[in-house]
Amino acid sequence: MNAVKRFKKMHLTVDDCKALAEGSSSLTQPFSQRQSRGDVNRSLHPTHRTRRHQGGQGQQKSITDYFRISQTQQVGTGGTKNCRIKEELLDPIFSEPDDSLSSVSTVMEISSDSCSFLEDEDFVPAPTVSSRKWPLSTAAAGVHKPEHDLWDKPEKQQMVVHPEPSLIKQEHSQIKQELDDMEIEPVPDAHYGLLGTRNWEVPQGSIDELPVEVLRNIFAFLPVTDLYQNLSLVCHCWREIVRDPLFIPWKKLYHRYLMKEDTALQTVERILQDFAITKEQEGCVLGLIRYVSAIPTGQKVNPSAVLRCLKSHHLFSKAEVCVVNKLPHLQSRMGPENMWAIIAVMVLFSDGVSDIQRLMACLQRPCSTLSVVDMTETLYCIATLLYAMREKNIAITNRIHYNIFYCLYLMENASVTMQTVEEETPAPHCRRDLWAGSWPEIKLTHEQQRILNHKIEHGQVVKIMAFAGTGKTSTLVKYAEKFADLNFLYVTFNKAVAERGKSVFPRNVTCKTFHSLAFGSVGKLYKEKGKLNFSKMSVYSVSSLIQNREGQSLFIRGKTVSQTLENFFASSDKEICEEHTPIWFKNTHGIRKLVSRREKEINVEEAKEIWHNMKKLDGDVEKKYKITCDGYLKLWQLSKPQLSGYDAIFVDEAQDCTPAIVDIVLSQKCGIILVGDPHQQIYTFRGAVNTLYSVRHTHIYYLTQSFRFGPEIAYIGATILDVCKKIRNKTLVGGSQKGDVRGSREEDNNLITKQFKCGLARFGLSRIYDIWKLSQPADERKKANLVINDSFIKKWEETRGFFGLKEYAECIDDKDLEVKIAIVEKYKDRIPELVKKIESSHVSQEAMADYLIGTVHQAKGLEFDTVLIADDFVEVPCLSGNYQRRTNFSIGMYPEDEWNLLYVAVTRAKKYLLMSKSLEHLLALAGEHFLRVELMSEATKDGAAITCSMPQCTKTLQSGSGLVVKKLPLTHSNGSRDAGGYLCHACTQQRFGSLTPLTLFPALQEQPIQF
């Protein structure tokens, strides 16, 4: 009898699986790996077909392309032809049920740039392994019938021969003896148990040799996008794991629901109806808890052990009281129902991301028997239902869903092959220029890595949709470094940004502004002739160039002609036409009226005359018709320039491109990469169009994780996009930095507003002083020797005076001039005193300043430790109760630019954000009132009666209830403070929405849950 061979058994923990997911780029980015004979993962690299097929070259595939495809068969004499109909999706997230995976082979065969799978004889089917089944219907997970294989063909039933019981017993005894003889030693490194190597040895194994159970646990840590777009293409075995309906079903359903996939919508709708999670049901949130508590759980899970791990969480005692009193029937059950109920309530009571992070840490403790997959699947289940509740207009704060999403995002996106790029170092004091200084190394996110895996080709248009602070510059720098064999042109609008780019980008990148390119070709010719006007043509100067005809007054027509020229310069058109004329104008009484057909004809005629004289290099002796910067840029665009010598063009801040610039960019033959944030478009008044939406693309990528701020500030930014722009399928997240938005920090050193400008010159202080001088009687000016220095204001001293200037500002709708006149009228004789105070308080060095005063436009591209939001943005009224808005206010009343301004202002903050009252009211539209659930015993521990803290409410809290809702204190940017406090039942109903029933009990039960 042969002796039993001794071998070593290695323990495989969750951390081991996680380490492999973090350390192996073959998992998340298989197409970007270099192949070599010594590569342990060489068998996992997709092999390229030698035969090329027609169609789809250079086009990006969304997740839906890998599963289901609409196609019609056209049969002719030449055979069968596949006509593929591909739907353009903004968000390439899986949006089809898993049963549609069967069509992946069709896609792979007809797509020319796809990669073939391994040979069929190398395929190893993935067995269905799951310790737990979820209460999802067959339609929910896209379950195949068990008798059907991947290709939907019936499989033959294999005959199973059962051995004799005595032989089974003998074999079990032998296995037990072998296990007892094993020598067990600690794991020498994170990969030993997976690849069979120590860190000082040459790897002997390969990832594809790992058991399916191990792969399932590893894959569960990865984002859905990587699962479908990368892992499912590696081999048949991995594809089977990803398509398994019992593999992370809620994680997949959540993303399908976000994409509004029909089957997912129907599945979630059925759950909402079956468990009475509807707007009409007052206790709809109890239905959510009941559904979560009904999740079947594996036998290895010990609910008592899990509850003991949760006991250290500060929300546990509150959730325990709630479950005992609202769902008492769960207490008597010995199963996991009360465990899941308590976890669900703890999630619902969370008022920040840190609460969910602590909950996840408790559930991952060694003494907990709950697996990481069980935990994440439960959180995805709750997140899906919460998202659906908001979609159904059920009154519940969006913060709870955001908390869950944020934590799951950080957990999944930590599992990536990290590469290093440079990031900026802080500038002195509070301000940070995003380009300044040397860049220490940082790690790339999954989203950044996906971009670096794409090599740009001629004719491709790639969009990178980057939220605020998500490292778009870092990504472009690393992209240029990776593809050092390519030459790039980086173009932007700001000269300072282009100059700083020269010190950041590698040598294969040329940094320019659009106007510098146009100046080198066209503008310099006008400068040489003295016909270049570096500033914008004023309405006053245009009025002096046109004829005084019947109809509009001279200044009003000067305004409309000026707008006509600006619209033409921004357009891609060759000639000025009526489409460039404004639609509305303000008459002399300040009333908006439509521009008549006759006035449009006059505007076009006058604008053509000015443009004709502008273009002349000779003949304008008096130099009245100097060309502007936008004018010579327009001439350059009309010349159809070709930027030779570049393989690709980086267009920064692409959301601010005008149609003229878009025409220049798209006419290039090289590859084009458009980078920007569509929600930071704040220059539509200059003719900018949102290129990131309007231009067709071949590939699109997203950057949603900001490195600038933590969860609190990220939540404010995400909620602005949610409420004001209905952006929910892509969510802004931050990092793990600590931050505050409730004003708990008293030191504030930044201010962002729309009216004032940083620096005395840009602030317009001297012009305000000159307007005040103009408002004084002529004899007073002469007596006090008040000299007006501003050349434009001085013109009015000689003509119609202060009231003429005011009428002019109103006629041409000059907001900046109107604001300065309003300041003079408000402060009157205090203006000289205030000007002196401001001048004496002004410092030239930022490091010496306590406040930086500026506009959103000036702050764009910068970041600050602390930001105060002034109260001159869109005024959002306070809610009147029960989540109903005032009838005279609507988000749609205001253009998107107004909400973009607020979003840009908020996302300048790194650590502290002081909100205006209006911004607080805006968050209330998303159901967020900064509330926290407390134990009534803690609130009444001193024995005194508690009165509701809301203004004009004198009700006393009911001591019989076990829980009470508390409004957290909040300090506003104007210095006012809401001290917060406890809420009565009526005020709780108005602000806590559908969560209110969780805090109110008819009769309190004191007994705790047994475990």
Side-chain angles (χ1 to χ4, degrees), residues 200-232:
W200 62 84
E201 293 180 347
V202 178
Q204 301 296 320
S206 178
I207 294 176
D208 61 342
E209 297 174 1
L210 293 175
V212 171
E213 294 87 347
V214 176
L215 291 174
R216 291 171 68 94
N217 278 280
I218 295 170
F219 294 172
F221 285 100
L222 302 176
V224 165
T225 304
D226 284 327
L227 289 176
Y228 283 114
Q229 290 189 334
N230 292 325
L231 267 70
S232 65

Side-chain angles (χ1 to χ4, degrees), residues 740-746 748 914-917 920 949 951 966-981:
D740 178 74
V741 298
R742 294 190 293 107
S744 58
R745 179 178 181 265
E746 294 185 0
D748 307 311
L914 273 83
M915 301 186 295
S916 62
K917 287 186 178 180
E920 183 188 5
S949 63
K966 182 180 182 180
K967 173 79 163 61
L968 299 177
L970 193 150
T971 300
H972 299 105
S973 56
N974 64 357
S976 64
R977 179 173 175 79
D978 181 354

Side-chain angles (χ1 to χ4, degrees), residues 456-462 487-489 642-650 664-673:
I456 189 72
E457 297 179 4
H458 285 229
Q460 290 184 347
V461 178
V462 176
N487 290 321
F488 298 94
L489 172 65
Q642 283 299 313
L643 303 172
S644 59
Y646 301 106
D647 298 292
I649 300 176
F650 294 144
I664 296 169
V665 172
L666 295 183
S667 65
Q668 307 308 309
K669 297 177 181 179
C670 60
I672 298 165
I673 300 179

Side-chain angles (χ1 to χ4, degrees), residues 120-159:
D120 287 341
E121 55 266 26
D122 295 331
F123 287 174
V124 180
T128 301
V129 179
S130 180
S131 61
R132 167 180 178 183
K133 294 182 179 179
W134 288 82
L136 276 175
S137 64
T138 301
V143 182
H144 279 301
K145 294 182 180 179
E147 66 271 14
H148 285 62
D149 66 1
L150 177 66
W151 317 112
D152 288 334
K153 296 179 180 178
E155 293 180 341
K156 294 181 179 180
Q157 297 294 332
Q158 297 181 353
M159 184 178 296

Side-chain angles (χ1 to χ4, degrees), residues 54-94:
Q54 293 182 357
Q57 186 170 6
Q59 292 289 330
Q60 180 189 32
K61 293 184 180 60
S62 68
I63 287 181
T64 52
D65 289 328
Y66 298 119
F67 307 106
R68 178 168 295 170
I69 175 172
S70 300
Q71 55 184 355
T72 58
Q73 299 292 333
Q74 295 182 359
V75 183
T77 56
T80 302
K81 179 181 178 182
N82 286 328
C83 295
R84 177 178 176 181
I85 305 173
K86 177 179 175 182
E87 181 180 357
E88 186 74 26
L89 291 178
L90 182 64
D91 188 349
I93 295 296
F94 171 59

Side-chain angles (χ1 to χ4, degrees), residues 679-691:
H679 313 300
Q680 293 192 54
Q681 186 192 28
I682 55 177
Y683 288 100
T684 54
F685 64 90
R686 291 185 180 175
V689 293
N690 209 325
T691 309

